């Protein structure tokens, strides 16, 4: 039975909602370290494209002023204890270790899926890792052909489903390779349990998602966890989130802490990676910013409107432009760039400042632009 929806406790303008959302997801002063950023976001999406940097590196350096992508990976992979485990939270993501019990609902569901590997396959992989692990996928394959395109080979399929079911875990990387191990060897005993019920898991996780987003619709919150909207709607009245109304949205939910302290201090302008938490759900980006977020890496080059790896520019709680970046030697290269018509008189300066910040974060010493670009903002960045 669906719980009755509480009456809204606050009316927010779109500008207020946007300020709340940006402040919640990207605090002006950032976070003190990687662990703190993970603990607040609860999921940082992973992706294999590395033309500029890895997705998680861009998300975390945007929240850790003065930190480089190398610093991020050192904290994740070379510290005395792991900080996170890989899990299909919002897509495949880094999830803080403390959240292990809260994903028990998805681990249980995985074991009921038809693709779940049979007992013999599981035993072979688990015995191998118990004896020789932690191991990367390439060693587990033992010469097996990899899948083509989006398809997975048999070993990758089995390993991924064992990670999703909690029979394997990945908390470290060797280079870009995930290392797979038995959970009891890499997940702290204090959190290694599946005790919460499905509804208990979802109640906590939706509360966490609301804290990370600040203010959000039911759809936004469901997308954060990749659960059906109907499930989120049923659970949300039992969370710590408060019902609100937002101009142009109608009903929504807000974190109580996010509703205090308006107006908020301005943060430095920053380019966001295409998998950043603030922009990973495109309907929310359109609703918050009036900005169309497109990811075109998998389109044929001739059909791309903005480029291969495009990062939107956030400045003063607005998305005012975007640029397609790559790395060439020691240079951050701008391949395409555009600023919105209403970006404002300081847009070019903000663009240039953000290019230099991104170059420092990704380990580049200079900014350059492709030969065909003559944009003033890019000229200033270089």
């Amino acid at each position: 039975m669906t719980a009755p929806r509480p009456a809204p406790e606050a009316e927010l303008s779109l500008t207020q909602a946007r300020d709340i959302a940006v402040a919640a997801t990207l605090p002006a002063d950032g976070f003190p370290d990687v662990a703190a950023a993970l603990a607040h976001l609860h999921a940082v999406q992973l992706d294999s494209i590395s033309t500029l940097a890895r997705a998680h590196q861009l998300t975390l350096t945007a929240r850790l002023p003065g930190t480089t992508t190398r610093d991020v990976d050192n904290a994740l992979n070379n510290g005395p204890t792991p900080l996170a485990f890989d899990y299909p939270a919002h897509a495949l993501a880094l999830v803080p270790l403390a959240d292990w019990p809260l994903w028990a609902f998805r681990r249980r569901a995985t074991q009921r899926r038809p693709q779940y590997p049979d007992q013999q396959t599981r035993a072979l992989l688990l015995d191998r890792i118990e004896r020789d692990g932690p191991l990367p996928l390439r060693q587990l394959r033992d010469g097996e052909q990899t899948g083509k395109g989006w398809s997975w080979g048999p070993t990758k399929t089995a390993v991924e489903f064992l990670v999703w079911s909690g029979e394997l875990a990945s908390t470290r990387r060797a280079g870009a390779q995930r290392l797979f191990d038995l959970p009891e060897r890499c997940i702290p005993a204090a959190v290694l349990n599946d005790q919460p019920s499905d509804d208990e898991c979802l109640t906590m996780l939706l509360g966490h998602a609301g804290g990370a987003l600040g203010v959000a619709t039911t759809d936004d919150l469901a997308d954060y966890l990749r659960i059906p909207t109907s499930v989120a709607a049923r659970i949300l009245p039992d969370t710590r989130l408060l019902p609100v109304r937002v101009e142009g949205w109608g009903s929504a939910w807000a974190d109580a802490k996010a509703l205090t302290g308006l107006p908020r201090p301005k943060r430095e302008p920053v380019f966001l990676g295409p998998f950043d938490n603030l922009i990973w759900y495109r309907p929310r980006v359109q609703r918050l910013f009036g900005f169309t977020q497109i990811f075109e890496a998998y389109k044929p080059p001739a059909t791309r409107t903005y480029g291969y790896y495009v990062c939107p520019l956030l400045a003063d709680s607005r998305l005012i432009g975007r640029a397609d970046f790559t790395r060439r030697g020691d240079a951050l290269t701008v391949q395409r760039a555009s600023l919105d018509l209403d970006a404002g008189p300081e847009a070019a300066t903000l663009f240039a400042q953000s290019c230099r910040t991104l170059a420092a974060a990704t380990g580049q010493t200079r900014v350059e632009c492709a030969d065909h670009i003559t944009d003033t903002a890019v000229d200033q960045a270089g």
Side-chain angles (χ1 to χ4, degrees):
M1 181 177 178
T2 302
R5 184 184 182 89
E9 297 190 11
E11 298 273 347
L12 301 173
S13 69
L14 180 59
T15 298
Q16 287 175 317
R18 186 164 51 239
D19 287 346
I20 288 170
V22 172
T25 311
L26 278 148
D29 296 330
F31 295 97
D33 52 36
V34 171
L38 283 167
H40 177 74
L41 296 174
H42 291 278
V44 172
Q45 189 168 341
L46 296 161
D47 188 76
S48 61
I49 296 176
S50 58
T51 184
L52 172 61
R54 299 285 183 179
H56 68 281
Q57 296 170 331
L58 294 173
T59 298
L60 290 168
T61 54
R63 290 158 175 81
L64 299 165
T67 301
T68 68
T69 55
R70 180 174 293 181
D71 295 333
V72 165
D73 281 353
N74 279 338
L76 290 169
N77 299 309
N78 299 323
T81 58
L83 299 180
F85 63 100
D86 292 5
Y87 201 69
H90 179 94
L92 186 64
L94 293 172
V95 177
L97 291 177
D99 285 0
W100 177 274
L102 302 183
W103 291 96
F105 82 98
R106 187 155 291 166
R107 291 194 289 272
R108 288 189 283 262
T110 297
Q111 296 181 22
R112 299 190 294 268
R113 293 182 61 171
Q115 304 96 325
Y116 188 56
D118 59 65
Q119 184 174 353
Q120 181 180 7
T121 301
R122 297 202 309 273
L124 287 171
L125 283 168
L126 295 174
D127 288 348
R128 170 79 185 280
I129 289 171
E130 182 176 16
R131 183 181 70 246
D132 302 332
L135 295 173
L137 183 61
R138 64 187 177 197
Q139 287 184 241
L140 293 168
R141 282 192 175 117
D142 283 335
E144 172 193 295
Q145 290 292 319
T146 60
K148 295 182 179 180
W150 293 103
S151 65
W152 291 355
T155 300
K156 179 172 174 58
T157 300
V159 168
E160 294 294 348
F161 273 87
L162 291 174
V163 169
W164 299 354
S165 72
E167 293 181 78
L168 288 178
S170 176
T171 61
R172 304 274 198 183
R173 280 170 172 71
Q177 295 289 314
R178 297 158 67 196
L179 298 177
F180 299 98
D181 203 354
L182 303 179
E184 56 267 29
R185 297 201 300 213
C186 60
I187 304 295
V191 298
L192 187 61
N193 71 77
D194 285 358
Q195 294 175 3
S197 69
D198 287 8
D199 280 8
E200 288 171 335
C201 292
L202 291 167
T203 300
M204 289 295 295
L205 287 170
L206 284 167
H208 291 335
L213 295 176
V215 60
T217 66
T218 301
D219 283 350
D220 299 336
L221 294 161
D223 175 76
Y224 207 91
L225 308 178
R226 294 291 171 90
I227 61 174
T229 301
S230 59
V231 174
R234 177 176 64 83
I235 298 289
L236 276 165
D238 295 326
T239 70
R240 59 185 174 84
L241 303 179
L242 302 176
V244 297
R245 293 190 66 82
V246 177
E247 174 191 358
W249 299 11
S251 59
W253 297 88
D255 182 70
K257 293 180 181 179
L259 295 177
T260 63
L262 290 172
R264 288 170 168 75
K266 299 296 184 183
R267 60 158 294 128
E268 294 297 310
V270 63
F271 279 107
L272 303 175
F275 300 101
D276 191 278
N277 298 51
L278 183 62
I279 60 170
W280 66 20
Y281 189 45
R282 295 173 191 177
R284 174 179 166 83
V285 177
Q286 185 66 49
R287 206 183 320 115
L288 267 176
F289 301 102
F291 186 92
T292 301
Q293 169 63 5
I294 302 175
F295 185 63
E296 302 180 292
Y298 301 115
K299 291 183 179 181
T303 67
R304 294 173 189 148
T305 302
Y306 298 107
Y308 178 79
Y309 204 80
V310 176
C311 297
L313 175 58
L314 177 72
D316 294 335
S317 294
R318 295 188 300 141
L319 295 176
I320 64 170
R322 61 190 102 207
D324 180 20
F325 291 107
T326 190
R327 293 171 297 165
R328 294 176 183 169
D330 64 346
L332 174 72
T333 302
V334 184
Q335 303 195 107
R336 296 190 203 180
S338 64
L339 292 170
D340 287 1
L341 294 176
D342 61 350
E346 296 183 348
T349 300
L350 297 174
F351 186 101
Q353 177 185 343
S354 302
C355 283
R356 291 190 288 269
T357 299
L358 181 61
T362 56
Q364 271 46 66
T365 59
R366 59 193 178 91
V367 180
E368 67 177 15
C369 59
D371 294 340
H372 61 280
I373 293 181
T374 58
D375 190 280
T376 302
V378 181
D379 291 342
Q380 288 189 33

